Every structure is written in structure tokens, then in C-alpha cells.
Amino acid sequence: MKYLGKVARLKKTLFLSILFILLVLLVLFVVWNVQADEVTPNQNEADLIASNRVWIESKTPIPLTNDISVTPFEKNTDVEILKNGNLVVEVTNAKLLKQLAFENSIYDGIKAYRLVITAPNVAEYINNAKFKYPMDHAYTGISNYQIESGTRSIETGSDAIRLTRENNQVHTKSTVQVRFSDDLAKDSMDALQMNVSSNSLALDDSFQTKAKSVRAFSKELFYDFNVTKNSWLILSSSKQVHVYSPVGMEYIMK
């Protein structure tokens, strides 16, 4: 009888333990989903355009690459914010063009350079050097994500963007996809709300040039980081992942 009583108490204890664990997981699941569904208010378009113009008025250096920047109002450069809020940088400055060619062979023989950054990405692009990975945990469903370490750099896309040209008028209208190394990269970016909210970027630009050769490439922010994912409070995995997030495009004119 004592043995049966111990078995009964053991079964009851085990049942209550399992029930408690399930309740805890249910509470965490609800809380995490509420956090994941929180929506960040969209910035007013007029405020965004005005904010972007401040970068120019304050003569903030605009990066062309990680190591090469142009200062607004510099000789043989033109930096402006268009009516739609896009940042446009045009460079014929021989010194800057020579620096570009020295850094990357893709710019060899360059005669002029044009950079377009879409309005929502201007501040993030200009402040890339000050970028810090979020240290807080983020939750999606029953999973918890945290970036341990990494870097973010400015890159030129590997594939040329299709453009059309009629006489001196060049027009580009294309969609460039965000590229993730795997599902973990995408899930962690979404959970941590790291300004990669869309899987594509629409590019629409038109300008005039007398250059014989014009090529267009996407301008991207390249994320290279280590992320840890915890699920069900017990499953944990860490991995290095990559994300290529287009923020605009650049033209190489020769």
C-alpha cells in the first residue's frame, strides 16, 4: 500500500510539474507574440524629407564606400535631397574618382559617379560608421534571438541593374531583393527590427549624361554577424549569418 501511495504521489507531482511548465510556456508564448506584433509608428513623409535635408545643410560627410566620403558643397560635387526625399550625390571630382578606382577595380577608368539613396534609408546609410548591433533580446513566437557580435559595411552589388538609355537620357526602374544567407538571418533581422523590413527595394531614377558607358549597381548594407537562437527555453544554437540589404544604387560612368 505504501508503495502504491508513493507511486500516486509521484504521478501527481509529475503531472503538476508538466502542467506548470506548459503554463509557463503558454505565458511566454503570449508575451513574445504581443512584443513581436508591436508596430513602430511610421515617420511623417514631410518630416523625413526635412530631416534628410539637414544632413546636407550641416555639411555631413556622405560615404561613397566604407573609406571614401564626400562633403556637401565640395568642388566638382553635387549633393542634394530630391522632392521625394531621396539623396543624390554626383561626383566629377578627379581626386575622389581616383580614390574610388584605387579602392576597387570596378571603378577603373571612371569619369563620373552618381549615387542615389532612397529617402527612408538616408540617415541609416550616412550613419553607418556609428552602427551598433542591438544588445537586447528579441522574441518571435517561442524563439529568442540575440546578436553576439558582427560588423556592417557598405557594399556594391555584384550584379548590374538593368537600365534604359535614349540619347543622353538614362533611366532605371528596377526591384532589388534583400538577400539572406539563410532563414536564421531573416528571422533574427525581423525579430530585432533592424531596419530590414522588406524583402525588396524599388528603384526609380532618371538623369542625363554624355558618358559613353553607364553601368548601374545596387548600393547595399552588408551585415555579417553571429546570432544565438533559443527556443522552448532549452534549445540553443549559434551561427554566423549574412544579409545584403539594398538601400539605393550607384552609377559608374566612363
Side-chain angles (χ1 to χ4, degrees), residues 6 17 25 42 44 70 73-74 76 82 122 131-132 152 164-165 168 173 197 213 220 222 230-231 237 251:
K6 289 182 178 180
S17 298
L25 290 175
N42 291 326
N44 177 278
V70 58
F73 312 112
E74 190 172 342
N76 294 326
L82 303 183
V122 170
F131 175 79
K132 300 291 184 183
R152 188 179 74 172
T164 58
R165 181 171 183 174
N168 294 334
K173 189 170 186 178
S197 58
S213 169
E220 304 173 339
F222 170 59
N230 296 291
S231 300
S237 61
Y251 299 90

Side-chain angles (χ1 to χ4, degrees), residues 31-40 133-147 180 182-199 225 227-231 243:
V31 172
W32 290 348
N33 270 284
V34 169
Q35 291 178 336
D37 291 338
E38 290 179 352
V39 178
T40 302
Y133 278 100
M135 299 304 294
D136 294 334
H137 291 261
Y139 308 91
T140 299
I142 59 172
S143 297
N144 165 27
Y145 299 88
Q146 183 178 25
I147 289 178
F180 301 93
D182 52 30
D183 290 339
L184 179 59
K186 184 180 187 307
D187 293 342
S188 59
M189 293 292 274
D190 290 343
L192 291 161
Q193 300 181 5
M194 293 173 63
N195 296 320
V196 184
S197 58
S198 173
N199 287 335
F225 58 91
V227 61
T228 296
K229 176 182 178 182
N230 296 291
S231 300
V243 178

Side-chain angles (χ1 to χ4, degrees), residues 149-220:
S149 62
T151 60
R152 188 179 74 172
S153 56
I154 295 172
E155 301 280 343
T156 295
S158 56
D159 298 324
I161 296 175
R162 183 177 178 274
L163 53 81
T164 58
R165 181 171 183 174
E166 185 175 352
N167 298 324
N168 294 334
Q169 188 71 26
V170 175
H171 184 66
T172 306
K173 189 170 186 178
S174 184
T175 300
V176 181
Q177 300 295 321
V178 177
R179 305 194 308 280
F180 301 93
S181 58
D182 52 30
D183 290 339
L184 179 59
K186 184 180 187 307
D187 293 342
S188 59
M189 293 292 274
D190 290 343
L192 291 161
Q193 300 181 5
M194 293 173 63
N195 296 320
V196 184
S197 58
S198 173
N199 287 335
S200 62
L201 180 70
L203 302 174
D204 191 347
D205 183 52
S206 184
F207 70 102
Q208 288 192 333
T209 179
K210 294 181 179 180
K212 294 181 180 179
S213 169
V214 181
R215 301 181 71 194
F217 297 87
S218 62
K219 205 64 173 178
E220 304 173 339

Side-chain angles (χ1 to χ4, degrees), residues 2-254:
K2 289 183 178 181
Y3 174 75
L4 292 177
K6 289 182 178 180
V7 171
R9 286 195 298 272
L10 181 61
K11 287 183 177 179
K12 183 179 180 180
T13 301
L14 182 60
F15 172 77
L16 291 175
S17 298
I18 293 175
L19 181 61
F20 176 75
I21 292 173
L22 290 175
L23 286 173
V24 171
L25 290 175
L26 179 61
V27 171
L28 290 174
F29 179 78
V30 172
V31 172
W32 290 348
N33 270 284
V34 169
Q35 291 178 336
D37 291 338
E38 290 179 352
V39 178
T40 302
N42 291 326
Q43 185 176 10
N44 177 278
E45 183 177 355
D47 290 342
L48 176 62
I49 294 173
S51 175
N52 287 347
R53 284 176 177 156
V54 169
W55 299 114
I56 311 305
E57 294 167 359
S58 60
K59 297 184 179 181
T60 303
I62 312 296
L64 305 181
T65 68
N66 285 310
D67 301 315
I68 302 173
S69 297
V70 58
T71 303
F73 312 112
E74 190 172 342
K75 184 179 179 180
N76 294 326
T77 66
D78 185 20
V79 182
E80 64 176 323
I81 299 296
L82 303 183
K83 292 182 179 180
N84 60 7
N86 287 357
L87 167 70
V88 175
V89 180
E90 294 183 329
V91 179
T92 55
N93 184 300
K95 180 180 178 180
L96 287 172
L97 296 178
K98 186 176 180 179
Q99 289 177 350
L100 286 172
F102 181 78
E103 182 179 281
N104 191 330
S105 60
I106 194 174
Y107 302 115
D108 284 347
I110 189 170
K111 298 292 193 302
Y113 177 88
R114 178 181 172 89
L115 173 69
V116 180
I117 303 297
T118 57
N121 297 300
V122 170
E124 193 75 8
Y125 176 81
I126 291 177
N127 287 290
N128 180 65
K130 297 181 180 179
F131 175 79
K132 300 291 184 183
Y133 278 100
M135 299 304 294
D136 294 334
H137 291 261
Y139 308 91
T140 299
I142 59 172
S143 297
N144 165 27
Y145 299 88
Q146 183 178 25
I147 289 178
E148 306 296 341
S149 62
T151 60
R152 188 179 74 172
S153 56
I154 295 172
E155 301 280 343
T156 295
S158 56
D159 298 324
I161 296 175
R162 183 177 178 274
L163 53 81
T164 58
R165 181 171 183 174
E166 185 175 352
N167 298 324
N168 294 334
Q169 188 71 26
V170 175
H171 184 66
T172 306
K173 189 170 186 178
S174 184
T175 300
V176 181
Q177 300 295 321
V178 177
R179 305 194 308 280
F180 301 93
S181 58
D182 52 30
D183 290 339
L184 179 59
K186 184 180 187 307
D187 293 342
S188 59
M189 293 292 274
D190 290 343
L192 291 161
Q193 300 181 5
M194 293 173 63
N195 296 320
V196 184
S197 58
S198 173
N199 287 335
S200 62
L201 180 70
L203 302 174
D204 191 347
D205 183 52
S206 184
F207 70 102
Q208 288 192 333
T209 179
K210 294 181 179 180
K212 294 181 180 179
S213 169
V214 181
R215 301 181 71 194
F217 297 87
S218 62
K219 205 64 173 178
E220 304 173 339
L221 295 180
F222 170 59
Y223 297 80
D224 177 5
F225 58 91
N226 295 312
V227 61
T228 296
K229 176 182 178 182
N230 296 291
S231 300
W232 294 101
L233 303 179
I234 53 174
L235 301 177
S236 178
S237 61
S238 297
K239 187 178 181 182
Q240 183 178 15
V241 296
H242 297 151
V243 178
Y244 297 83
S245 174
V247 294
M249 61 184 148
E250 66 178 0
Y251 299 90
I252 301 172
M253 289 164 273
K254 301 179 180 181

